[in-house]
C-alpha cells in the first residue's frame, strides 16, 4: 500500500476538522492555508468526502465544512479506501477490491501479502481521527 497525495491531504484536512470539531463550519481556505494544501485540490477532496458523508458543507458567510460524525467514528481505513482503494499490497489479496494477479499460484508468497494486508487493515481500521488529532 502506498498513500496517494490525495489520501495524505484528506487525512490532513480531516485532522484539522477534528481539532475544530464542535466549533461549527470551517472554511476551506482556512484548512488550505493552515495545512498547506492547494485550495483547488482541497476542494476536490472535500467534495469526495462530502459525497461519502464524511463531512457536511454549508454555503454562505457562516458556511464551510465540518465532520458529519464524531471523530471517534471515522477510521483511517475508511478514508484511505475512499481515496485510494485497496489497503492490500496486491489486488489478489484484497477483501474489497479483489482482482486476479499473476502471484495467485504461489501460495507462500500470497500468504505473506495477506499477512501484510491484515496487519495494515487492522491498524487502520482501529485508528480513528480522534486517535490522531
Amino acid at each position: 500500500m502506498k498513500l496517494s497525495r490525495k489520501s495524505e491531504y484528506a487525512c490532513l484536512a480531516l485532522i484539522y476538522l477534528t481539532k475544530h470539531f464542535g466549533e461549527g463550519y470551517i472554511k476551506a481556505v482556512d484548512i488550505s492555508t493552515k495545512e498547506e494544501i492547494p485550495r483547488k485540490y482541497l476542494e476536490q477532496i472535500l467534495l469526495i468526502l462530502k459525497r461519502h458523508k464524511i463531512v457536511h458543507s454549508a454555503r454562505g458567510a457562516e458556511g464551510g465544512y465540518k465532520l458529519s460524525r464524531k471523530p471517534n467514528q471515522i477510521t483511517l481505513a475508511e478514508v484511505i479506501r475512499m481515496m485510494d482503494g485497496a489497503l492490500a499490497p496486491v489486488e489478489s489479496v484484497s477483501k474489497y477490491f479483489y482482482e486476479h494477479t499473476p502471484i495467485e499460484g504461489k501460495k507462500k508468497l500470497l500468504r505473506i501479502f495477506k499477512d501484510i494486508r491484515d496487519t495494515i487493515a487492522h491498524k487502520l481500521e482501529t485508528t480513528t481521527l480522534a486517535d490522531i488529532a
Side-chain angles (χ1 to χ4, degrees):
M1 179 189 89
K2 181 179 186 321
L3 285 184
S4 68
R5 188 62 50 113
K6 184 167 44 171
S7 278
E8 289 183 35
Y9 285 156
C11 288
L12 291 175
L14 291 169
I15 291 168
Y16 188 85
L17 290 174
T18 297
K19 289 178 180 177
H20 296 278
F21 186 73
E23 297 177 14
Y25 289 95
I26 307 296
K27 301 215 175 297
V29 67
D30 294 338
I31 301 168
S32 174
T33 302
K34 298 289 185 190
E35 297 300 328
E36 299 179 0
I37 303 170
R39 187 167 177 201
K40 291 288 185 190
Y41 199 29
L42 176 62
E43 289 171 356
Q44 293 172 10
I45 291 167
L46 290 168
L47 285 174
I48 294 168
L49 294 171
K50 180 182 174 186
R51 197 172 335 130
H52 286 89
K53 298 183 171 121
I54 300 295
V55 300
H56 287 301
S57 68
R59 294 179 186 243
E62 299 299 316
Y65 295 87
K66 67 179 181 178
L67 296 179
S68 61
R69 293 180 273 165
K70 293 178 181 175
N72 65 354
Q73 297 174 331
I74 302 169
T75 67
L76 288 180
E78 181 180 2
V79 175
I80 293 168
R81 282 187 183 114
M82 180 187 324
M83 294 295 162
D84 287 343
L87 301 178
V90 293
E91 284 82 8
S92 58
V93 297
S94 177
K95 286 184 178 180
Y96 303 104
F97 301 92
Y98 173 84
E99 287 185 28
H100 176 73
T101 64
I103 66 163
E104 285 182 279
K106 306 297 181 197
K107 298 300 179 195
K108 289 181 182 179
L109 183 58
L110 203 61
R111 180 75 247 156
I112 289 170
F113 286 128
K114 282 182 181 178
D115 289 346
I116 292 168
R117 176 209 61 205
D118 291 346
T119 300
I120 290 169
H122 175 74
K123 186 65 174 176
L124 294 175
E125 287 169 354
T126 59
T127 303
T128 67
L129 294 178
D131 295 327
I132 58 174

